[in-house]
């Protein structure tokens, strides 16, 4: 995963990827994450796990920078720090909850179910993000994240 993130950094500067609007990039990222996580449910060899890890790591690569930029873009100018702090706190809470929930799911449902639940969650996010952005009025053209187009 870390190697994919490091090796993939120059790819983010490619015209095709850098010009993606934030909503399109986030949906693509969620779908890459879903594909990689679902692939892990069926992987039984090291090469298979490596391939699917590269897939979900590519989703991570596309998601993380845009997500932070989106949060900063949503904040009023005087509240950017507070918005980013709240977003970071959510990640901290998730880092505490995920091992508890994940190990329970792993123990009672098995590894394939764990990967599939994670993949399904990413698919839900891919569908929910554009719908929530539209309902919140976040698709205004003047709001951009990373200079990549409309946010929302």
């Amino acid at each position: 995963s870390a190697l994919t993130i490091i090796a993939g950094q120059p790819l983010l500067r490619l015209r095709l990827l850098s010009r993606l609007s934030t909503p399109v990039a986030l949906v693509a990222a969620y779908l890459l994450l879903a594909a990689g996580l679902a692939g892990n449910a069926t992987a039984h060899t090291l090469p298979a796990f490596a391939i699917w890890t590269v897939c979900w790591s590519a989703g991570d690569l596309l998601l993380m920078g845009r997500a932070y930029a989106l949060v900063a873009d949503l904040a009023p100018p005087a509240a950017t720090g507070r918005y980013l702090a709240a977003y970071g706190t959510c990640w901290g809470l998730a880092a505490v909850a995920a091992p508890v929930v994940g190990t329970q799911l792993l123990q009672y449902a098995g590894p394939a179910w764990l990967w599939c639940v994670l993949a399904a969650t990413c698919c839900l996010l891919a569908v929910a993000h554009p719908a929530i952005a539209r309902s919140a009025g976040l698709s205004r053209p003047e709001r951009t994240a990373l200079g990549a187009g409309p946010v929302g």
Side-chain angles (χ1 to χ4, degrees), residues 23-24 27 70 74 125-140 150-152:
V24 170
V27 168
L70 176 61
L74 292 174
L125 289 168
V127 171
H129 175 79
I132 292 169
R134 275 191 304 276
S135 71
L138 300 177
S139 56
R140 296 181 299 249
V151 172

Side-chain angles (χ1 to χ4, degrees), residues 3-137:
L3 290 176
T4 303
I5 300 296
I6 292 167
Q9 290 298 316
L11 297 176
L12 292 176
R13 286 185 234 122
L14 293 176
R15 178 168 284 192
L16 175 69
L17 293 178
S18 67
R19 292 197 179 214
L20 286 177
S21 69
T22 297
V24 170
L26 292 177
V27 168
Y30 293 134
L31 293 176
L32 280 169
L33 281 163
L37 294 168
N40 275 342
T42 61
H44 299 291
T45 65
L46 183 59
F49 278 114
I51 288 167
W52 293 117
T53 297
V54 168
C55 182
W56 64 257
S57 296
D60 252 352
L61 179 67
L62 197 53
L63 175 70
M64 293 315 292
R66 298 264 185 160
Y68 280 98
L70 176 61
V71 171
D73 214 23
L74 292 174
T80 303
R82 288 189 302 257
Y83 274 57
L84 288 169
Y87 184 68
T89 300
C90 290
W91 274 99
L93 293 172
V96 171
V100 174
V101 174
T103 54
Q104 294 302 304
L105 188 57
L106 185 61
Q107 179 179 357
Y108 294 109
W113 272 100
L114 173 65
W115 293 116
C116 288
V117 166
L118 294 171
T121 301
C122 289
C123 287
L124 287 173
L125 289 168
V127 171
H129 175 79
I132 292 169
R134 275 191 304 276
S135 71

